[in-house]
Amino acid sequence: MFGFRKNTTAEAGGASIVEKTIMTCSAGEIGQPVRGLIIPYAEIQDPIFSGGMLGQGVGIEPEDGIVYAPMDGVVSTVADSNHAIGITGDGEMELLIHVGIDTVEMKGDGFATFVSEGDQVVKGQKIMEFDRDKIKAAGKYETVVVLLTNSDDYDDFKLL
Amino acid sequence: MKEFTYVITDEVGIHARPAGLLAQEAKKFTSTVMFVKGEKSAKATSMMKLMGMGIVKGDAITVTVEGDDEDAAAAAIEAFVKANL
């Protein structure tokens, strides 16, 4: 649909990023889904996310446009506009990966997903690609928001 | 049980932010709040399940509220839906 460069070496290197654990709770560990700099949740340029109202998590300033499943699970939601994917993992962990801020307004342009609702995914599996240039051209922040939407359900939830 | 129906007028429907805010609103009450669209239904306290409904502009939804504080919960959820969706 749009011209992503094929670079298998880079992809293999990228997939290993999920081995870095960014959050834990009694239900399991969540890896880093996208290569890039992790920023504190409070620094995300969106008052709703940064306020922690939707659950705890982190922001990632992406270095490339590939998203890997950060844990095993079942795909519970794929946004119609392909910019967000929800995965339900062990112990009912409900994880949301949301690429960019207000990117719902791009109506899918610049986003490709490789999974559908109900699919099983394994940690490290490529689930989405996004075009960083298109996000910037649309005037949006490209911060990838990774949040455990039901973090309140776990007494021992921890950001690493 | 309380119940109301609503047709979504918001351009992008129930995406991440409104789903999250709605879940927060629903968690303020002890009653069970369900969003129903055709065959699909979701507990309003689950942001991800709400998003998974794929509710978009023009969709007719039914909201059911059942529990001890159902009157207050139904009023609050209906007000939220009208203001945000």
Side-chain angles (χ1 to χ4, degrees):
Chain A
M1 181 165 119
F2 37 124
F4 289 111
R5 270 170 300 155
K6 286 283 169 217
N7 185 334
T8 47
T9 313
E11 279 185 15
S16 65
I17 193 71
V18 300
E19 298 306 325
K20 184 182 168 195
T21 300
I22 57 173
M23 313 176 207
T24 67
C25 66
S26 52
E29 296 183 343
I30 297 163
Q32 183 172 341
V34 179
R35 285 170 56 81
L37 179 71
I38 293 193
I39 63 166
Y41 212 54
E43 288 177 19
I44 295 172
Q45 296 295 319
D46 180 300
I48 309 270
F49 285 130
S50 64
M53 290 175 69
L54 308 188
Q56 295 298 312
V58 298
I60 301 172
E61 298 300 349
E63 281 171 12
D64 59 28
I66 306 171
V67 182
Y68 303 95
M71 63 180 185
D72 295 349
V74 175
V75 175
S76 41
T77 179
V78 177
D80 287 341
S81 39
N82 281 334
H83 69 294
I85 293 178
I87 299 173
T88 302
D90 292 341
E92 297 294 308
M93 283 189 288
E94 294 194 343
L95 187 81
L96 181 71
I97 302 168
H98 188 286
V99 176
I101 305 299
D102 287 330
T103 38
V104 65
E105 293 164 11
M106 293 170 68
K107 299 184 190 301
D109 185 30
F111 300 89
T113 51
F114 306 110
V115 288
S116 307
E117 198 182 318
D119 287 357
Q120 293 271 350
V121 291
V122 295
K123 191 171 182 174
Q125 180 180 340
K126 184 165 87 171
I127 54 174
M128 189 203 297
E129 286 187 13
F130 57 96
D131 187 326
R132 297 178 58 199
D133 293 334
K134 282 198 174 171
I135 296 174
K136 280 180 235 165
K140 310 292 185 197
Y141 289 104
E142 58 178 348
T143 313
V144 178
V145 180
V146 184
L147 77 159
L148 191 64
T149 61
N150 59 343
S151 60
D152 287 355
D153 294 347
Y154 305 97
D155 293 336
D156 54 356
F157 174 81
K158 240 190 299 188
L159 289 169
L160 299 182
Chain B
M1 190 184 78
K2 306 278 287 181
E3 183 178 312
F4 65 89
T5 57
Y6 182 76
V7 176
I8 304 296
T9 58
D10 183 78
E11 201 58 47
V12 287
I14 301 187
H15 61 101
R17 190 177 301 120
L21 293 174
L22 189 50
Q24 290 303 313
E25 190 68 23
K27 282 176 188 168
K28 291 178 186 167
F29 302 95
T30 57
S31 293
T32 302
V33 181
M34 298 293 295
F35 272 57
V36 184
K37 182 186 99 173
E39 304 272 288
K40 284 185 156 186
S41 66
K43 260 194 189 170
T45 45
S46 169
M47 171 183 177
M48 292 245 301
K49 292 198 172 70
L50 283 172
M51 288 179 67
M53 301 265 296
I55 293 170
V56 295
K57 186 179 179 179
D59 283 350
I61 56 165
T62 301
V63 179
T64 65
V65 185
E66 190 160 17
D68 291 342
D69 55 1
E70 62 187 30
D71 288 335
I77 299 295
E78 189 164 11
F80 178 92
V81 163
K82 283 180 175 162
N84 296 283
L85 296 168

